[in-house]
């Protein structure tokens, strides 16, 4: 079951999804209009192209190759609505963030952008961007660099250099040592920065786990200074339906903040698309987690119904991911929706990483 999106401009389709989400979340219409104006100003060139029967250039954002996903964080008094989208490859000559009229040149991003551009013997990193909006506040922006196509030594070299430029070397060394002391197979997949100069702006490093159970992802999350392992374990079990395995390629995202000597927090992402039989089951489990976290799940259920291309019991993979962060803030759950635009999945990018034989201490470029 897919959306009837063929023939629509990609940007119009995404703005329509955003508007539907705003309506489901009861956001005032005037605020919705202003947020869509911001969204239009930062969407890449492909937003002006019409959606065909298959992706011309499949993206890694969604399993069907569509280059965007919608998500909502449920902490606080108002949900935060987000749109993540693919911007192509990082470039030295015309970095996307500098071309965008809505994202001012950011000092933190400016210090590290070059690290992820083409180097001798290395391709540029895929560049993703996210607009996050918790009304009535102003939207905030985030940038992600994909490292999944690089050999492991190149990933670690780039991350180490970026953390050095951001004056976070001690925190990174501590986190890396502790992660690598945790049994299991995993690889760094993304490096991300919040585009803000405020003290609470984060730098994030994403690990993709292979064959992990919920105990393993919880031990990786416990590398963070602020992590409640008991609460996290209960949350994971709710999302997996009582299963002990974490499903396919669960993610741990370690967040770093200025002035700290280690990772501050960790969000763990579970792929509900592989852990539940349909979107109805995935929505029910997530609603139960929200209820246990003190969040009324009614708006979440309404949002899922509004975004689904049909009945939830006939739908699968719309609610693709759910993340949970146990760092002292109740309801820190984020739900990730990937609208089914195409009728088949595309092959995922293959990783050159040899996880069994890697040399974890090799930081050579």
């Amino acid at each position: 079951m897919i959306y009837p999106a063929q023939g629509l401009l990609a940007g119009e389709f995404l703005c329509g999804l955003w508007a539907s989400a705003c309506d489901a979340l009861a956001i005032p219409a005037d605020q919705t209009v202003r947020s869509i104006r911001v969204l239009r100003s930062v969407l890449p060139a492909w937003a002006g192209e019409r959606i065909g029967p298959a992706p011309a250039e499949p993206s890694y954002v969604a399993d069907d190759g569509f280059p965007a996903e919608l998500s909502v964080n449920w902490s606080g008094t108002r949900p935060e609505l987000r749109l993540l989208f693919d911007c192509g490859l990082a470039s030295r000559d015309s970095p996307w963030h500098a071309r965008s009229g809505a994202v001012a040149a950011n000092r933190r991003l400016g210090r590290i952008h070059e690290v992820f551009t083409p180097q001798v013997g290395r391709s540029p990193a895929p560049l993703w961007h996210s607009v996050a909006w918790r009304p009535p506040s102003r939207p905030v922006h985030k940038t992600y660099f994909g490292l999944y196509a690089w050999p492991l030594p190149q990933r670690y070299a780039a991350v180490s250099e970026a953390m050095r430029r951001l004056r976070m070397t001690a925190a990174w060394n501590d986190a890396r040592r502790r992660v690598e002391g945790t049994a299991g197979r995993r690889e760094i997949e993304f490096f991300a920065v919040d585009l803000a100069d405020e003290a609470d702006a984060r730098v994030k490093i994403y690990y993709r786990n292979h064959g992990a159970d919920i105990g393993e992802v919880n031990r990786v999350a416990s590398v963070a200074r602020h992590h409640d392992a008991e609460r996290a374990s209960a949350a994971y079990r709710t999302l997996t339906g009582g299963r002990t395995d974490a499903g396919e390629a669960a993610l741990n995202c370690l967040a770093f903040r200025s002035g700290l000597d280690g990772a501050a927090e960790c969000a763990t992402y579970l792929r509900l698309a592989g852990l539940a039989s349909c979107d109805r089951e995935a929505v029910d489990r997530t609603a139960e987690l929200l209820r246990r976290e003190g969040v009324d799940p009614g708006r979440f259920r309404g949002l899922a119904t509004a975004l689904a291309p049909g009945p939830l019991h006939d739908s699968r993979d719309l609610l693709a991911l759910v993340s949970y962060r146990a760092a002292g803030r109740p309801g820190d759950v984020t739900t990730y929706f990937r609208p089914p635009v195409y009728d088949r999945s595309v092959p995922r990018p293959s990783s050159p990483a040899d996880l069994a034989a890697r040399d974890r201490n090799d930081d050579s470029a």
Side-chain angles (χ1 to χ4, degrees):
M1 185 181 302
I2 63 172
Y3 275 87
Q6 277 65 45
L8 298 177
L9 295 177
E12 293 302 314
F13 172 67
L14 288 175
C15 289
L17 282 177
W18 183 275
S20 296
C22 288
D23 185 60
L25 297 174
I27 296 171
D30 60 327
Q31 294 184 32
T32 297
V33 169
R34 288 196 296 271
S35 70
I36 290 177
R37 191 177 302 125
V38 172
L39 191 61
R40 289 184 189 278
S41 72
V42 298
L43 286 174
W46 55 256
E49 300 173 0
R50 295 196 181 278
I51 298 173
E57 296 184 13
S59 172
Y60 187 38
V61 173
D63 287 339
D64 68 351
F66 191 68
E69 72 174 11
L70 193 75
S71 61
V72 177
N73 176 269
W74 299 93
S75 62
T77 57
R78 297 181 179 89
E80 181 179 81
L81 181 61
R82 307 166 179 173
L83 186 75
L84 173 72
F85 48 88
D86 195 326
C87 300
L89 299 175
S91 166
R92 285 185 177 182
D93 298 328
S94 56
W96 174 87
H97 77 276
R99 296 200 310 270
S100 170
V103 183
N106 180 269
R107 287 181 294 174
R108 299 168 80 241
L109 183 58
R111 289 201 295 268
I112 66 168
H113 184 273
E114 181 187 10
V115 174
F116 301 98
T117 58
Q119 310 286 336
V120 175
R122 193 187 73 194
S123 61
L127 179 67
W128 295 1
H129 186 77
S130 174
V131 176
W133 179 50
R134 196 181 298 274
S137 302
R138 296 175 59 185
V140 297
H141 302 265
K142 309 170 187 181
T143 288
Y144 303 75
F145 297 97
L147 310 182
Y148 43 82
W150 295 355
L152 282 175
Q154 292 183 359
R155 302 185 207 185
Y156 281 100
V159 169
S160 295
E161 174 61 15
M163 293 298 271
R164 184 191 69 79
R165 295 186 182 196
L166 294 170
R167 302 181 180 88
M168 292 182 171
T169 293
W172 163 234
N173 287 343
D174 175 78
R176 178 179 177 181
R177 174 183 58 79
R178 297 177 66 193
V179 168
E180 291 176 356
T182 302
R185 299 167 64 248
R186 64 192 63 88
E187 56 184 302
I188 293 179
E189 189 166 52
F190 289 94
F191 184 90
V193 292
D194 291 348
L195 300 191
D197 288 322
E198 291 83 358
D200 61 348
R202 301 163 302 165
V203 174
K204 297 179 292 182
I205 297 173
Y206 290 76
Y207 283 91
R208 176 184 288 267
N209 295 279
H210 297 276
D213 59 25
I214 60 175
E216 181 180 323
V217 296
N218 204 5
R219 286 189 290 274
V220 175
S222 297
V223 167
R225 296 295 191 259
H226 307 292
H227 179 72
D228 186 328
E230 184 175 351
R231 281 183 58 206
S233 179
Y236 304 157
R237 287 182 179 276
T238 298
L239 292 174
T240 64
R243 290 168 49 175
T244 58
D245 68 284
E248 178 190 357
L251 297 171
N252 287 111
C253 172
L254 294 176
F256 298 81
R257 299 180 186 272
S258 297
L260 299 180
D261 60 358
E265 305 131 9
C266 184
T268 298
Y269 298 67
L270 299 180
R271 300 182 183 277
L272 269 291
L275 290 168
S277 61
C278 64
D279 281 315
R280 168 60 66 194
E281 185 175 18
V283 166
D284 286 346
R285 291 180 190 172
T286 306
E288 173 60 17
L289 175 58
L290 289 169
R291 186 194 64 77
R292 291 177 55 180
E293 288 285 308
V295 177
D296 182 353
R299 285 183 296 183
F300 162 69
R301 288 187 179 276
L303 175 64
T305 299
L307 294 179
L312 287 171
H313 63 268
D314 289 334
S315 172
R316 185 167 182 173
D317 300 346
L318 171 70
L319 182 58
L321 291 164
V322 176
S323 73
Y324 181 74
R325 180 167 49 193
R329 183 169 63 173
D332 206 344
V333 178
T334 304
T335 51
Y336 295 80
F337 298 94
R338 292 176 177 171
V341 175
Y342 305 111
D343 63 358
R344 62 178 59 88
S345 297
V346 297
R348 309 297 276 170
S350 60
S351 169
D354 182 354
L355 298 176
R358 70 183 183 183
D359 179 356
R360 289 186 172 92
N361 295 318
D362 184 359
D363 272 351
S364 61

